[in-house]
Amino acid sequence: MAVRPKTLALLAAAFVIAASFQVTTTTFEALGAGAQVSDPAQENGSTEDNAGFDELEAATVKFQAELARLAEICDSLNLHAEAAYTRKWSVPQRTDQLALYLPLAEVPEAKTPNAARWLKHFHAARQSYAEALFVAAKSVVARDEAAAYRILWRLLRENPDHPGARKVLSGLVASATANPRLRKGTAALSDLGWAPRSYYSVNSRHFNLVSNADSDSTKVLAAQLEQTFVLWTQIFYSAWAEPGTLAAGLSKADPVTINFPRNRDKFRVVLMKDRESYLELLGASEEAAGASVGYYWPAGKQSIFYASDELELTLNHELTHQFFAESARELDKKSTVGESGDYWIVEGIAMYMESLSRHENHWTVGGWESARLQTARYRGVRDGFWIPTERLSSSTLEGWKADPQISLLYTHAAGLTHALMDDRLGKPTRSATISAIGALYAGRRLGKTLLQPFGIDETTSKNNYQDALLVTDADVIGLSESKKQVDELVLVGSRLTADSWNDLTAQSQVRWLDVSFSNVSEQALARWLSGSQKLERLSVEGTQLSGVAAASGRKLQTLTELDLSDTGLTDAQLQALQGHPTLEVLWLTRTQVTDEALSTIRSLPQIRLVDVTGTAATSTAWQQWRQ
């Protein structure tokens, strides 16, 4: 595989918070029958008029400087826990990711006089910053309601009792922070086959949850539903809010309470006690959903899940379908979204929401390290997979169900959507994408419009897509500063500095690592693998790292798959894997191994697949081994 050099500079700013709120104007071409979707205030652009945003940047820099000063004082007084907490409070801002906030952070108690003084100054700094945020929100709301809305939520993180912000967002604040109240359902639910008092019922501000699972699981889900909805409103403001609503509320000297969103029926969610009852229920409505732990049923206007440790990703995915379908600003109840085309973005935006992650005192969505993007990067960069624009834009729900490449369709849709929502195309695209999705749920066709930012023709579009997927040094900096540990990292084709590779070795919890066709050094890879604790899949395809991969792989007692294709691996190097206890799959494609490698292969107790295509190994010898 030949990896093209990166042509688009994707710059990530670590702490420049104002970069998330600068303004530009971008307009996608007409949608469908003359509909126009504009991008009036994209977060990462620039404009001559940055009133409010410049002040926000200055206030943010001042706030961060005060936090740094407080942390240093804490260290000098041996208040190391307080110093660490203060440093963690500042949230790194990245261009490929949105930071989201709820007023739920818990501040540690002060147990000593010095700790009490720290806490006093910490609260004072936050309250001062909150006031600056409120001024900024009022200043920018006329031009960028979505940015102002997110600023208000950031404000409430700093001062949950701020009277102006709480008054404007009172309903949503209450729903995000409420303690759910469970009651035994008194009515028979014939559609579920539940008798009175055999289930729990929770009626919160935006949800009607019914559950025959245990009380703890039900209560946790009830709180999570409201929080997820509020976070969704922060990401997709323009898709559900009436234009001018927030501006009207903030323009008054005394802020006006706003009802967010417009009055609609509550979202209905069903939580089943186990997988068996879930499958039994779905058997009458949707057979294809049986492989998941949850499903949004459009015809029944309800999401159905069962209690599981693996629920969160599916929850975010299916709730996204439900929120858009039932909260779209110009809801067209006569049509089903995606039935005549554009289905790729329906699934793409739901997969994007799977990246919603909770951190110690905030949430994030998007980012190059998102799980769905790892497979998309593998298919898009390594395999060169690309679906022609015409075929993709005309995709329908029924067409996807019948397509034998359905898994690749999902992967490609996830990659495209992240590129648009994460602003990976060298120009701002997030806000216009959100507006376009709102238009789609209003019953309009998008056609090729949403794909136009990738390029004017198929070749250019494919190249720009691959560029958007490649990992850069700036990306690595963003991940390192977040201190986040990820499960999967596909770095195929990456050309990074030695410092970046060194930073990545801190990722000790990775289960799938792919450094194919990259410039990682032997020293960096050896150091990384020596600290890996859970690695199951490793690929060094197309590199000169076969020796270190085999030698280090022998020590990885969790490794089940190893790809050494196109590495120049020899029989002697392969012997380092002699007797590996867990290895099941071994790719030796186009290496220098011969029939002598069979002695090593036979020593692997769990091996079930070995590929020796393009090697000097004879078919007769390997056929005997397979038998």
Side-chain angles (χ1 to χ4, degrees), residues 244-258:
T245 303
L246 183 60
L250 279 178
S251 63
K252 309 293 184 183
D254 182 21
V256 177
T257 300
I258 305 297

Side-chain angles (χ1 to χ4, degrees), residues 55-73:
E55 290 80 357
L56 174 61
E57 179 178 2
T60 298
V61 171
K62 181 179 179 181
F63 178 56
Q64 291 170 344
E66 178 63 9
L67 292 181
R69 187 184 73 86
L70 286 176
E72 289 180 2
I73 293 173

Side-chain angles (χ1 to χ4, degrees), residues 339-599:
E339 67 180 2
S340 59
D342 306 313
Y343 190 70
W344 72 272
I345 191 61
V346 175
E347 289 299 336
I349 201 63
M351 288 184 284
Y352 168 79
M353 280 295 287
E354 292 178 21
S355 68
L356 183 65
S357 302
R358 182 169 186 173
H359 304 266
E360 190 168 344
N361 51 49
H362 69 287
W363 281 255
T364 59
V365 65
W368 69 271
E369 72 273 23
S370 301
R372 286 281 188 177
L373 267 181
Q374 308 314 304
T375 304
R377 188 174 298 116
Y378 181 87
R379 294 301 182 190
V381 178
R382 181 198 178 277
D383 296 348
F385 183 78
W386 177 258
I387 299 175
T389 302
E390 180 63 39
R391 176 189 169 195
L392 190 69
S393 61
S394 61
S395 62
T396 64
L397 170 60
E398 294 304 318
W400 271 45
K401 287 181 178 180
D403 198 307
Q405 288 188 308
I406 186 170
S407 62
L408 288 175
L409 294 180
Y410 272 95
T411 295
H412 194 55
L416 292 170
T417 305
H418 267 280
L420 291 167
M421 290 295 294
D422 294 346
D423 283 339
R424 300 286 296 195
L425 295 170
K427 51 193 168 186
T429 51
R430 181 185 296 129
S431 289
T433 300
I434 293 171
S435 296
I437 295 171
L440 177 64
Y441 275 89
R444 307 176 204 176
R445 276 296 315 278
L446 303 181
K448 299 179 182 180
T449 303
L450 200 50
L451 295 167
Q452 287 173 353
F454 288 92
I456 59 175
D457 55 53
E458 294 297 329
T459 299
T460 303
S461 296
K462 179 180 178 180
N463 289 343
N464 287 340
Y465 174 61
Q466 289 182 321
D467 283 340
L469 291 172
L470 287 173
V471 178
T472 69
D473 292 309
D475 293 330
V476 176
I477 291 173
L479 179 62
S480 298
E481 290 179 341
S482 73
K483 309 298 183 184
K484 178 182 179 182
Q485 289 285 326
V486 297
D487 290 332
E488 301 176 349
L489 276 179
V490 173
L491 303 166
V492 57
S494 297
R495 294 291 185 267
L496 304 174
T497 64
D499 286 343
S500 290
W501 286 115
N502 184 60
D503 287 345
L504 286 168
T505 63
Q507 292 292 327
S508 61
Q509 305 302 305
V510 174
R511 297 180 184 274
W512 176 23
L513 175 61
D514 190 327
V515 293
S516 301
F517 306 99
S518 74
N519 67 338
V520 62
S521 68
E522 289 188 0
Q523 294 80 4
L525 182 62
R527 184 165 57 251
W528 197 344
L529 297 181
S530 67
S532 295
Q533 301 173 14
K534 300 179 180 179
L535 193 62
E536 298 172 2
R537 299 172 60 190
L538 172 64
S539 176
V540 296
E541 179 185 7
T543 69
Q544 297 301 311
L545 301 171
S546 56
V548 66
S552 299
R554 180 64 182 86
K555 303 172 185 177
L556 298 171
Q557 299 300 297
T558 55
L559 191 66
T560 60
E561 181 174 348
L562 178 60
D563 191 344
L564 300 169
S565 302
D566 293 302
T567 60
L569 178 80
T570 65
D571 294 329
Q573 290 174 323
L574 185 64
Q575 288 177 2
L577 292 171
Q578 188 85 19
H580 194 290
T582 59
L583 198 58
E584 299 177 10
V585 178
L586 185 58
W587 300 94
L588 305 176
T589 315
R590 293 179 297 278
T591 60
Q592 297 180 34
V593 298
T594 68
D595 289 348
E596 292 185 14
L598 274 173
S599 61

Side-chain angles (χ1 to χ4, degrees), residues 12 131 140 151 157 173 192 200 248 256 283 383 450 457 465 623:
E131 288 302 324
V140 306
I151 291 173
R157 172 186 182 251
V173 172
L192 300 174
Y200 292 107
V256 177
D383 296 348
L450 200 50
D457 55 53
Y465 174 61
Q623 186 63 35

Side-chain angles (χ1 to χ4, degrees), residues 22 29 39 115 169 183 239 318 407 481 498 501 516 563 566 583 589 606 615 622 624:
Q22 290 179 324
E29 292 184 5
D39 190 353
L169 303 176
R183 302 178 185 276
E318 300 302 332
S407 62
E481 290 179 341
W501 286 115
S516 301
D563 191 344
D566 293 302
L583 198 58
T589 315
Q606 303 299 323
T615 70
W622 286 86
Q624 291 175 350

Side-chain angles (χ1 to χ4, degrees), residues 69-120:
R69 187 184 73 86
L70 286 176
E72 289 180 2
I73 293 173
C74 286
D75 277 333
S76 70
L77 297 173
N78 292 321
L79 298 174
H80 299 302
E82 288 80 359
Y85 188 89
T86 305
R87 290 190 176 97
K88 287 182 180 179
W89 190 259
S90 186
V91 178
Q93 301 294 310
R94 292 165 45 179
T95 58
D96 68 333
Q97 198 175 66
L98 278 177
L100 310 167
Y101 308 94
L102 295 176
L104 297 174
E106 296 182 1
V107 178
E109 295 182 4
K111 298 181 179 180
T112 67
N114 278 339
R117 282 189 282 273
W118 159 77
L119 190 58
K120 177 182 177 181

Side-chain angles (χ1 to χ4, degrees), residues 40-327:
Q42 174 59 32
E43 293 84 355
N44 299 314
S46 61
T47 185
E48 294 180 358
D49 184 8
N50 268 332
F53 297 110
D54 291 338
E55 290 80 357
L56 174 61
E57 179 178 2
T60 298
V61 171
K62 181 179 179 181
F63 178 56
Q64 291 170 344
E66 178 63 9
L67 292 181
R69 187 184 73 86
L70 286 176
E72 289 180 2
I73 293 173
C74 286
D75 277 333
S76 70
L77 297 173
N78 292 321
L79 298 174
H80 299 302
E82 288 80 359
Y85 188 89
T86 305
R87 290 190 176 97
K88 287 182 180 179
W89 190 259
S90 186
V91 178
Q93 301 294 310
R94 292 165 45 179
T95 58
D96 68 333
Q97 198 175 66
L98 278 177
L100 310 167
Y101 308 94
L102 295 176
L104 297 174
E106 296 182 1
V107 178
E109 295 182 4
K111 298 181 179 180
T112 67
N114 278 339
R117 282 189 282 273
W118 159 77
L119 190 58
K120 177 182 177 181
H121 286 284
F122 181 61
H123 282 317
R126 291 171 59 203
Q127 290 178 357
S128 177
Y129 184 46
E131 288 302 324
L133 290 172
F134 193 62
V135 171
K138 296 184 71 171
S139 178
V140 306
V141 69
R143 290 169 291 126
D144 190 347
E145 284 190 287
Y149 183 70
R150 284 194 287 270
I151 291 173
L152 289 178
W153 284 104
R154 184 190 296 184
L155 180 165
L156 287 170
R157 172 186 182 251
E158 306 303 339
N159 182 4
D161 298 320
H162 189 280
R166 283 197 72 97
K167 188 171 184 180
V168 173
L169 303 176
S170 59
L172 285 174
V173 172
S175 66
T177 57
N179 186 25
R181 298 181 61 184
L182 275 63
R183 302 178 185 276
K184 282 290 187 179
T186 57
L189 299 180
S190 57
D191 58 331
L192 300 174
W194 293 354
R197 305 197 65 79
S198 67
Y199 63 94
Y200 292 107
S201 176
V202 182
N203 276 296
S204 60
R205 185 177 182 87
H206 301 106
F207 291 86
N208 169 230
L209 169 64
V210 292
S211 166
N212 67 354
D214 62 87
S215 60
D216 288 342
S217 298
T218 304
K219 192 171 184 178
V220 168
L221 179 60
Q224 190 173 5
L225 291 174
E226 287 289 355
Q227 291 171 15
T228 303
F229 177 65
V230 172
L231 294 169
W232 178 86
T233 69
Q234 293 181 43
I235 302 165
F236 301 107
Y237 178 85
S238 64
W240 61 267
E242 292 285 0
T245 303
L246 183 60
L250 279 178
S251 63
K252 309 293 184 183
D254 182 21
V256 177
T257 300
I258 305 297
N259 291 319
F260 290 115
R262 297 190 308 168
N263 293 329
R264 296 193 184 281
D265 295 337
K266 292 184 178 181
F267 303 112
R268 188 176 195 235
V269 175
V270 178
L271 180 64
M272 310 297 293
K273 62 182 178 181
D274 53 36
R275 180 169 177 78
E276 289 70 29
S277 56
Y278 169 78
L279 293 177
E280 182 179 354
L281 175 65
L282 289 183
S285 59
E286 182 60 53
E287 296 179 2
S292 69
V293 298
Y295 171 64
Y296 173 57
W297 182 24
K301 293 185 66 176
Q302 59 185 317
S303 288
I304 306 167
F305 306 97
Y306 70 88
S308 167
D309 293 337
E310 302 175 354
L311 178 57
E312 186 168 358
L313 291 182
T314 300
L315 185 75
N316 293 339
H317 183 113
E318 300 302 332
L319 287 179
T320 300
H321 287 316
Q322 185 170 19
F323 293 161
F324 273 114
E326 299 177 26
S327 294

